[in-house]
Amino acid sequence: MTESNSPLDQPTRADFEIAAQAVIARIPARLREELAEVTVRIEEFATAEQLESVEIETRWELTGLYEGTPLPERSLWDEPSLPPVITLFRQPLLREMEETGVGFEELVRHVVIHEAGHHFGFSDDDMHALEAMVED
């Protein structure tokens, strides 16, 4: 990635998808297996319903979202449901990169690990430990 502010030089949806999958590939195998059912999506912005679900008012504030039932809350008796989804919101992430100077891969890693942490029911400390394991 170049450091230019030109929209042509910004990471594309495909770039985000590749970066997110690279993060997942570096997660320890025992946890990565549990993520096999999770779909990763890249959207430009969160929908109004997604924003409301996390009590965020502006679409620029939400960079990622886990939607699904965390593993610790599941039961064998649960009705089948849609697979869990981790969504990265491209425009808010691009804005955060510009405002903070955090690099593309680092920011994607942070958001993917955070949202995957919700899937596992991890605490913030657990998420930080997992992120440290996945760092280059």
Side-chain angles (χ1 to χ4, degrees), residues 10-109:
Q10 293 179 337
T12 65
R13 290 172 79 140
D15 294 331
F16 275 94
E17 176 71 29
I18 290 165
Q21 293 302 330
V23 171
I24 291 170
R26 292 193 312 264
I27 290 175
R30 63 184 170 75
L31 295 175
R32 190 173 56 244
E33 290 169 10
E34 297 288 344
L35 288 172
E37 68 175 308
V38 178
T39 301
V40 175
R41 291 188 184 145
I42 312 302
E43 299 293 343
E44 292 300 305
F45 289 100
T47 65
E49 294 80 15
Q50 289 170 319
L51 293 170
E52 186 177 315
S53 75
V54 291
E55 300 177 352
I56 291 178
E57 293 183 19
T58 174
R59 66 187 189 160
W60 288 100
E61 292 181 22
L62 188 59
T63 57
L65 182 65
Y66 171 78
E67 296 172 287
T69 304
L71 293 175
E73 296 176 19
R74 293 187 185 176
S75 165
L76 292 173
W77 308 110
D78 287 343
E79 293 289 325
S81 62
L82 295 173
V85 176
I86 291 173
T87 307
L88 302 182
F89 301 108
R90 183 175 169 270
Q91 291 299 325
L93 285 163
L94 292 173
R95 181 175 170 182
E96 186 170 332
M97 284 172 39
E98 184 177 317
E99 290 178 352
T100 65
V102 173
F104 173 68
E105 287 84 8
E106 183 180 352
L107 186 57
V108 170
R109 180 179 61 242

